[in-house]
Amino acid sequence: DAGVTQSPTHLIKTRGQQVTLRCSPISGHKSVSWYQQVLGQGPQFIFQYYEKEERGRGNFPDRFSARQFPNYSSELNVNALLLGDSALYLCASSRGQQETQYFGPGTRLLVL
Amino acid sequence: AQSVTQPDIHITVSEGASLELRCNYSYGATPYLFWYVQSPGQGLQLLLKYFSGDTLVQGIKGFEAEFKRSQSSFNLRKPSVHWSDAAEYFCAVGPSIYNQGGKLIFGQGTELSVKP
């Protein structure tokens, strides 16, 4: 079975721009979570979606938003990019909201 | 506040030597506990998990971890390290009655180097 897939793999943006990152979960998984990993640190929780509804949100500004589609794929949007948004953005999927999370390869975002 | 501490930022071991990576957590109740590994430029791969039951859990690639409630620890071990084990290792805690959502809280990570 295919694992979690994310696109694009790399992205370069300038300050003030907007970006959309995409994630496809493992087949049969209904929950998607997003994490931000800044260089040298552990991943930080941004959002969790389950059955197309937001079920958890981390300590991130309103510039960050997400949604989940009927096929359980998900998008993460970040508006008004700042230099500090440069990071590896990881998507994880799980069968249910509180079940084991499996991670994708990530999207590396560089904001100049 | 819920937190995870990995006291060792960087560890170097010789190939064939044993390994123990430390993880301590602060939580209101027994959480779900995980170890993930991340190779450079890659996502996270699940090594093992503890939900309940036997406190010694076996994972992939010959890794094991032991949950010690009295010490709030979940240390990762491997009896003989291979060069391919060089990577960054993350301990994480997951849902409990204090964290109803699916949020994982990660430690800062321990970078493992393996010398020939």
Side-chain angles (χ1 to χ4, degrees), chain A residues 1-69:
Chain A
D1 288 339
V4 178
T5 59
Q6 293 186 243
S7 63
T9 56
H10 294 83
L11 206 51
I12 300 175
K13 293 286 188 178
T14 57
R15 282 178 297 175
Q17 285 190 309
Q18 175 264 340
V19 67
T20 298
L21 310 181
R22 296 175 176 82
C23 172
S24 292
I26 294 170
S27 178
H29 286 195
K30 297 183 177 181
S31 180
V32 168
S33 299
W34 288 95
Y35 293 82
Q36 180 195 65
Q37 186 179 21
V38 173
L39 196 63
Q41 297 184 18
Q44 298 289 319
F45 173 76
I46 309 175
F47 285 110
Q48 185 190 45
Y49 276 77
Y50 176 64
E51 289 284 17
K52 302 179 287 295
E53 292 187 5
E54 181 181 306
R55 299 301 182 104
R57 185 185 183 114
N59 187 25
F60 281 82
D62 291 343
R63 300 185 295 108
F64 288 76
S65 63
R67 54 180 175 169
Q68 187 176 33
F69 299 97

Side-chain angles (χ1 to χ4, degrees), chain B residues 43-90:
Chain B
L44 302 175
Q45 181 183 21
L46 179 68
L47 285 177
L48 49 78
K49 60 187 177 183
Y50 172 78
F51 283 3
S52 65
D54 192 349
T55 57
L56 184 63
V57 294
Q58 303 296 322
I60 62 171
K61 303 185 179 186
F63 286 93
E64 66 177 28
E66 185 172 12
F67 168 63
K68 293 186 177 180
R69 184 191 305 273
S70 61
Q71 299 176 20
S72 296
S73 69
F74 188 57
N75 294 348
L76 182 71
R77 301 194 295 248
K78 186 169 185 178
S80 178
V81 170
H82 188 263
W83 65 265
S84 60
D85 293 325
E88 185 123 27
Y89 291 79
F90 291 96

